[in-house]
Amino acid sequence: MNSMERRQRILALARDQGAVDVQKLAADLAVSPETVRRDLHRLEQQGLVRRTHGGAYPVETARFETTLDTRTTRLVTEKRRIATAAAQLLGDAESVFIDEGYTPRLIAEALPAERALTVVTASLDTAAILAESPATTVLLLGGRVRGRTRATVDHWAVDMLAGFVIDLAFVGANGISREHGLTTPDPAVAAVKAQVISVSRRVVFAGVHTKFGASSFCRFADVADVDAVVTDVGLPASEAHRYSLLGPVVQRV
């Protein structure tokens, strides 16, 4: 196995497992840990993985995106804390947008059930959850349904959003960086998210620390377009401060 084949194998394992460990890779591939570290460094330079202490995890790109079902198995404790804290930012909003994805779905579950709200969403799962609440009016965006996330996209969704003025939007992203802003792999998803931000009075980004510093294919917003960021304590306080200097209030939970 040459170096290119080895890096392809490492990337495939990272994408399949969600993360890889240097020592385990070295044993499985019969190479030294130093060789694995060099391979991970090269993959990180190519924007395909993010290195961590002792390993790495894959970055979502134009050709790779995790499924919604996979997202429900990773960093669940952190995502629930984030969702609870994000829901507390509801304030006096009467109309709310909830993005596709697992963390936004958890935010929907954390909203006060007795509160009269009009919720707009592209997520079939979120719409089904909220439809059970008699106090909530649910508007599901039309369009093509993406199987990976069970959410609607394309011009039907974008055009429908253009007719709204939304008090508060809870948005997610596959990556957020100070250099490239908020990104996602699919142009159709990016178009929906960009329209949401343009019609919303307040925008809250909610996401786990692994999304920070990562950049995917399609940029849909600047960090400055977001009013608040809610993440977990895995994001260092110093890095959270750097993001706050760009405009949003950053909360670590």
Side-chain angles (χ1 to χ4, degrees), residues 21-52:
D21 176 80
V22 169
Q23 298 299 328
K24 188 174 188 307
L25 283 173
D28 292 345
L29 299 174
V31 295
S32 69
E34 290 73 20
T35 297
V36 172
R37 292 188 186 98
R38 285 196 296 269
D39 288 337
L40 291 176
H41 177 68
R42 179 61 175 159
L43 289 169
E44 187 173 48
Q45 286 182 321
Q46 295 172 335
L48 299 173
V49 303
R50 289 288 308 284
R51 297 176 68 186
T52 62

Side-chain angles (χ1 to χ4, degrees), residues 142-245:
R144 173 175 60 90
V145 178
R146 297 178 74 237
R148 298 188 75 82
T149 58
R150 297 192 288 276
T152 55
V153 292
D154 291 338
H155 69 87
W156 300 278
V158 172
D159 291 348
M160 189 172 174
L161 281 166
F164 298 141
V165 177
I166 297 172
D167 293 331
L168 173 62
F170 294 106
V171 299
N174 300 76
I176 176 172
S177 72
R178 288 180 283 117
E179 297 80 8
H180 303 295
L182 283 68
T183 55
T184 192
D186 191 315
V189 175
V192 172
K193 292 176 184 288
Q195 183 72 307
V196 165
I197 289 173
S198 72
V199 302
S200 297
R201 292 189 171 101
R202 283 195 296 143
V203 178
V204 174
F205 168 76
V208 290
H209 70 277
T210 56
K211 294 179 181 288
F212 287 78
S215 299
S216 192
F217 179 55
C218 299
R219 181 169 173 266
F220 64 87
D222 293 325
V223 175
D225 295 326
V226 175
D227 298 286
V229 169
V230 184
T231 187
D232 61 89
V233 293
L235 182 71
S238 58
E239 190 64 9
H241 176 66
R242 294 186 184 99
Y243 278 89
S244 71
L245 293 176

